[in-house]
Amino acid sequence: MSFSNKLNTSTADSRRPIGLILQTLHKWLGLIVGLQLLIWIVTGLAFNLIDEQFLDANQYRTTHQTASPTTAPAPAANLLQQYQAEGIIELTLTSVLERAVYTLITAQQTRWFWADSLQPLSLNDAEILAIAKQSYSGSGELSAPQILTHETPFDASGPVAMLIAADEVGTRIYIDTASGTVLAHQNSQSDLKDLLFMLHFMDYAPDNGIGFNHLLVQLVSIAALLLGLSGIYILGHKFHQGQLSLPFLRRKTAIGKLVLFTQDAQLLAEFTELSGTYLESINQGRERLRTQCGGGGRCGLCKLRFVEQPPAPNDYDLDKLTATELEQGIRLSCQHEASPRKLALVTKAQHRYWPQLER
């Protein structure tokens, strides 16, 4: 198949060169990975610069010294017999508000019972408030308990009650109403800490749990790997096409003359200082050939026709120029290193914007 047929086939298929596809992918991957890297840096600096005490959720949390139960526990034989079929694992005696409580752990679930009556543990609002006060050392008044209906991050065995303290940090106390356990203290400053952790570990999904190696981290890791691999390919591809060269091997200035003609073959200008691409050489000192992308191969406005011996087209030429233009020797002047050649303008707009004083 001839070069012309290959060009026509490529144009008919409307396929972008693989190099440009990878460059687009590389840029989007760079945006995603770069954004997350910026978030890592900012949140990491925040953790190092912000005082740890400022982010502490337990500023007013205190450990209540458990006193001996004021009620005598009843024998647990009947309780053990009742749940023996579930496979009893452990029975312990604790206390809630100085009242003895049995904690029964079976193979199916954990239950709590008032030890003096063997009735399931049940807390009213006053008892929940009393438990919260035992864990709180601040001076703020506690609100009435509010049973949360939405899902919480706590490992609770029953409904979770929240109480809010009227202090300067807005302390919130969470209590498991099934066991009387204080689940956590939180406040407005610890919310900032949680936000920083969420951003730092990409913990955006509620089902990630406490594991670091979750799906989002894996996806960003794969994106970073693809970013590196695509970057290596693009560098090699550009070097192969002559778009990239090592600085110490790059020719500073070509010796000779670049002659530029109008569309109707009239002499327009001559350039003897050839450095960089044809576009850079022509635009030395002033803008003679206008572009929108600044020589990035994206707008196609810098195309010129090589009167003789056009260079081999690269990816940008194949993407922006038609098969007919390529056959006529038209190339993007921003994509080829300048050398002594004869070139011609190809559009009326190029003539219209050419500096009047140089015509």
Side-chain angles (χ1 to χ4, degrees):
M1 182 182 292
S2 66
F3 175 68
S4 174
N5 290 335
K6 288 182 180 179
L7 292 176
N8 288 326
T9 301
S10 176
T11 304
D13 291 343
S14 299
R15 295 175 181 172
R16 295 193 71 197
I18 185 64
L20 295 185
I21 295 175
L22 284 178
Q23 284 188 47
T24 302
L25 175 65
H26 186 76
K27 289 179 179 179
W28 282 106
L29 290 174
L31 176 63
I32 295 171
V33 175
L35 179 61
Q36 185 56 49
L37 180 61
L38 179 62
I39 292 175
W40 282 336
I41 294 173
V42 172
T43 53
L45 285 174
F47 281 126
N48 281 276
L49 297 177
I50 299 176
D51 186 3
E52 186 176 354
Q53 295 298 322
F54 178 81
L55 300 176
D56 187 12
N58 299 311
Q59 293 185 27
Y60 294 118
R61 185 168 184 174
T62 181
T63 302
H64 176 66
Q65 299 296 327
T66 303
S68 299
T70 57
T71 57
N78 292 338
L79 194 64
L80 295 174
Q81 184 178 5
Q82 181 180 355
Y83 293 98
Q84 186 175 6
E86 293 187 8
I88 295 174
I89 298 176
E90 185 180 23
L91 177 68
T92 58
L93 181 65
T94 59
S95 67
V96 173
L97 297 176
E98 285 73 50
R99 186 178 176 184
V101 172
Y102 280 130
T103 302
L104 178 64
I105 303 175
T106 69
Q108 295 184 10
Q109 68 178 96
T110 301
R111 296 180 176 87
W112 290 265
F113 302 88
W114 294 117
D116 52 2
S117 64
L118 300 185
Q119 295 298 313
L121 186 146
S122 177
L123 299 172
N124 56 38
D125 286 356
E127 290 169 330
I128 295 174
L129 179 59
I131 294 172
K133 287 182 177 180
Q134 287 181 345
S135 73
Y136 179 66
S137 62
S139 58
E141 183 178 353
L142 296 179
S143 67
Q146 175 187 354
I147 302 299
L148 302 181
T149 56
H150 57 80
E151 186 177 354
T152 67
F154 308 114
D155 185 16
S157 300
V160 176
M162 180 183 71
L163 300 92
I164 302 176
D167 55 31
E168 72 280 3
V169 293
T171 300
R172 304 186 303 276
I173 303 173
Y174 298 90
I175 295 175
D176 183 358
T177 58
S179 63
T181 304
V182 177
L183 297 171
H185 278 215
Q186 292 181 350
N187 55 51
S188 58
Q189 294 172 182
S190 68
D191 290 342
L192 174 60
K193 182 179 181 179
D194 292 338
L195 175 63
L196 292 175
F197 268 117
M198 180 192 72
L199 294 173
H200 195 75
F201 294 109
M202 292 184 292
D203 192 18
Y204 306 125
D207 298 329
N208 285 339
I210 60 174
F212 175 75
N213 190 27
H214 54 76
L215 179 61
L216 286 175
V217 172
Q218 295 170 0
L219 290 176
V220 172
S221 300
I222 294 173
L225 176 62
L226 293 177
L227 177 67
L229 293 177
S230 60
I232 293 173
Y233 175 86
I234 291 169
L235 283 175
H237 189 63
K238 283 182 173 290
F239 188 84
H240 176 71
Q241 290 197 331
Q243 297 174 285
L244 188 67
S245 60
L246 299 176
F248 55 86
L249 295 178
R250 188 178 301 155
R251 185 175 58 186
K252 297 295 183 181
T253 303
I255 300 175
K257 183 185 296 185
L258 172 62
V259 183
L260 190 62
F261 296 91
T262 63
Q263 276 184 292
D264 53 3
Q266 299 296 317
L267 179 63
L268 182 62
E270 295 181 349
F271 303 93
T272 56
E273 295 184 10
L274 307 182
S275 178
T277 64
Y278 288 102
L279 177 64
E280 291 171 335
S281 298
I282 293 172
N283 282 349
Q284 279 189 21
R286 64 188 307 174
E287 187 180 38
R288 300 177 178 87
L289 202 58
R290 295 192 178 186
T291 66
Q292 292 179 347
C293 65
R298 298 295 182 181
C299 67
L301 297 179
C302 68
K303 58 186 178 181
L304 296 174
R305 181 175 62 85
F306 284 77
V307 177
E308 54 189 19
Q309 297 180 343
N314 63 19
D315 288 342
Y316 292 95
D317 295 319
L318 296 173
D319 185 52
K320 292 297 179 183
L321 303 175
T322 65
T324 301
E325 289 176 323
L326 291 170
E327 287 182 340
Q328 293 173 351
I330 296 176
R331 302 288 186 268
L332 299 181
S333 63
C334 67
Q335 293 299 308
H336 300 276
E337 187 175 358
S339 62
R341 294 288 183 94
K342 294 180 180 180
L343 292 86
L345 303 182
V346 295
T347 66
K348 293 181 179 179
Q350 291 174 337
H351 289 83
R352 185 164 59 250
Y353 290 118
W354 192 268
Q356 296 290 332
L357 296 177
E358 297 189 9
R359 293 188 181 182

